[in-house]
Amino acid sequence: MLSVLRHRTYRRLFTAQILALAGTGLATVALSLLAYDLAAADASAVLGTALAIKMIAYVAVAPLIGALADRLPRRALLVSADLLRATAALALPFVGEVWQIYVLILLLQTASAAFTPTFQATIPDVLPDERDYTRALSLSRLAHDLENLLSPALAAALLAFVPAGSLFAGTAAGFLASAALVASVLLPSPAPAARTGGLLTKASFGTRLFLATPRLRALLALELVVAAAGAMVLVNTVVLVRDVLGRPAGDVPLAFGAYGAGSMAVALSLPRILDRAGDRASMLPAAFLATGVLALLLVGLEAGPGPWSWPALLAAWCAAGAASAAVLTPGGRLLRRSAASADLPAAFAARFSLAHACWLHTYPLAGWTAARAGLTASAGALSGVALLAAVAAVRLWPRTDPDELEHVHPELAPDHPHLHGADRRHAHDFRIDSLHPRWPGPDLTARPRSGRNAA
């Protein structure tokens, strides 16, 4: 898997990603401490509002950036976003009012909503070979998991020597180093998009691409499965460990570590699995594994704690992490299959926005249900959401899913350049665009011709 790092441009971009993730991890710890200093007992409300602002920025801003991505130089956009994030991080230690936190968080997360989808859309152009791109996706998943595990430990080590506000300086240093690395490489220019219409029309193209492409509709359902399982882990682990099982506080990070360990194990092995099994055959069973974990948790909560409960929770969280990685990591491959090069920024921006919209629903479902009706009700609600989404993914994703589809263009003149002198009924790698606004239905498709089958 590490062989892809021999590619100089990708190696620098991957290093930039790691440094930016480390900075983000430090900011998470520092923001918690800052909120406590300013709001004391109301710190949870401050952090909850900050997270809501983050999600709203991700959902609203990413599609707008995707609509403008073909007009902006990628390197300039990525560097500018990193510099804005560094500026916001450096300003955070000097705030004196809670509202100032919200303003700076909005700036920082708006910049992240511009950076992340643009960065993700750049990698397929940097690594055109699918095997290399698959390995890059696994490395990216591994980097995210390592950040979740190591950033809190790094923050704890730094706090032994520096005040909490200094963590924001580390955050800014990570973003500045990321900007320097991105600036040091030449990036492929985005192909000019053929989309017409105003900004809102272009911004909505990525969402329309998802809703019109069967495999991407399935991917959206799978994102909801991951959000349901992940919300249970991230929101309710501390209550499960401390209140239900009566374990010490030091066991909470162990539970989170089991989730990360499962994800990393799959990220390391996934390139070989995808080479043999393909995307559909890997992602759909993983979705049902995540659903099964939630269902088994429901059964365990009904039965009550016992001597097996702690190792069972660790095993369940490890399985949930593995399932999440198996669903999320190949998603970039589906986007690359489903969108033309010029439309990749819009596609990645739409995925970024829609995935966070899923989390925006499952986070409060996990927390509010647990607070008002108990953990059993929370596990039941989330397992129901995950099951419905997993079944929807199976139904939405055709078992036979070739790239090349035969279809007709009754609206085109016989001499239209798209037909290349052929009949109005023809076949090619089919993607939603201005000439193909709908997926071929039974009346438009004679039969799939040769193409890759994702099953």
Side-chain angles (χ1 to χ4, degrees):
M1 185 172 68
L2 297 178
S3 61
V4 72
L5 293 176
R6 289 198 293 263
H7 193 290
R8 175 181 176 274
T9 298
Y10 173 71
R11 183 172 65 249
R12 294 198 176 192
L13 290 176
F14 179 65
T15 305
Q17 180 187 24
I18 291 175
L19 292 170
L21 285 172
T24 301
L26 291 178
T28 300
V29 176
L31 183 63
S32 300
L33 298 173
L34 176 62
Y36 186 79
D37 288 340
L38 291 179
D42 292 328
S44 295
V46 173
L47 289 174
T49 303
L51 286 172
I53 291 172
K54 171 183 175 179
M55 291 296 174
I56 291 169
Y58 282 1
V59 171
V61 173
L64 295 175
I65 297 299
L68 298 171
D70 63 315
R71 304 182 189 177
L72 303 172
R74 279 177 172 169
R75 185 167 63 174
L77 176 58
L78 292 171
V79 170
S80 298
D82 266 337
L83 293 178
L84 180 58
R85 294 196 290 184
T87 301
L90 286 174
L92 275 167
F94 302 102
V95 303
E97 301 289 340
V98 169
W99 68 266
Q100 295 169 347
I101 292 181
Y102 297 153
V103 172
L104 291 173
I105 289 298
L106 178 61
L107 288 176
L108 193 153
Q109 301 303 343
T110 297
S112 293
F115 181 93
T116 303
T118 305
F119 182 91
Q120 292 172 337
T122 301
I123 302 304
D125 290 336
V126 171
L127 299 173
D129 180 78
E130 184 166 307
R131 291 172 63 89
D132 287 341
Y133 180 54
T134 301
R135 282 148 181 75
L137 290 174
S138 292
L139 280 177
S140 178
R141 182 76 255 160
L142 191 63
H144 279 278
D145 292 330
L146 285 173
E147 182 270 321
N148 289 332
L149 289 174
L150 299 181
S151 286
L154 176 60
L158 290 174
L159 287 172
F161 303 99
V162 299
S166 298
L167 294 182
F168 288 116
T171 297
F175 292 142
L176 291 173
S178 171
L181 284 166
V182 172
S184 71
V185 296
L186 292 175
L187 299 180
S189 299
R195 301 187 301 275
T196 59
L199 179 61
L200 291 180
T201 300
K202 293 180 179 179
S204 65
F205 172 77
T207 301
R208 287 187 282 115
L209 174 69
F210 260 78
L211 297 180
T213 307
R215 71 179 73 95
L216 295 187
R217 290 202 298 266
L219 177 59
L220 181 56
L222 293 172
E223 295 277 6
L224 183 56
V225 175
V226 171
M232 189 69 201
V233 173
L234 296 177
V235 174
N236 290 327
T237 291
V238 64
V239 181
L240 282 166
V241 173
R242 299 287 283 137
D243 291 351
V244 176
L245 301 183
R247 307 284 301 186
D251 283 349
V252 174
L254 290 179
F256 285 123
Y259 183 82
S263 180
M264 285 190 290
V266 167
L268 289 170
S269 60
L270 202 55
R272 293 189 297 274
I273 295 174
L274 291 174
D275 285 344
R276 292 195 300 268
D279 300 323
R280 189 180 189 276
S282 302
M283 297 170 72
L284 293 180
F288 283 99
L289 173 60
T291 303
V293 168
L294 292 173
L296 288 174
L297 177 65
L298 174 62
V299 173
L301 289 169
E302 287 284 1
W308 46 267
S309 298
W310 173 238
L313 181 66
L314 293 179
W317 268 205
C318 184
S324 297
V327 168
L328 293 176
T329 306
R333 287 162 50 106
L334 298 190
L335 293 184
R336 189 157 106 164
R337 285 185 61 198
S338 305
S341 178
D343 294 328
L344 280 176
F348 277 96
R351 184 194 183 190
F352 188 79
S353 175
L354 293 170
H356 283 91
C358 293
W359 287 90
L360 193 57
H361 286 82
T362 57
Y363 270 145
L365 179 62
W368 295 346
T369 307
R372 296 181 180 181
L375 286 172
T376 302
S378 181
L382 291 169
S383 62
V385 169
L387 179 60
L388 290 174
V391 171
V394 173
R395 294 180 63 86
L396 290 168
W397 196 341
R399 185 177 298 275
T400 301
D401 186 26
D403 289 340
E404 189 172 282
L405 290 175
E406 200 169 72
H407 56 285
V408 297
H409 286 282
E411 77 286 359
L412 296 183
D415 59 348
H416 192 282
H418 178 68
L419 299 179
H420 301 292
D423 186 73
R424 286 191 178 92
R425 183 182 296 274
H426 66 163
H428 55 71
D429 284 358
F430 195 93
R431 300 181 179 93
I432 297 298
D433 55 28
S434 58
L435 288 175
H436 309 87
R438 293 183 298 275
W439 203 257
D443 57 329
L444 295 177
T445 304
R447 58 183 174 83
R449 289 189 179 175
S450 59
R452 182 175 56 239
N453 187 325

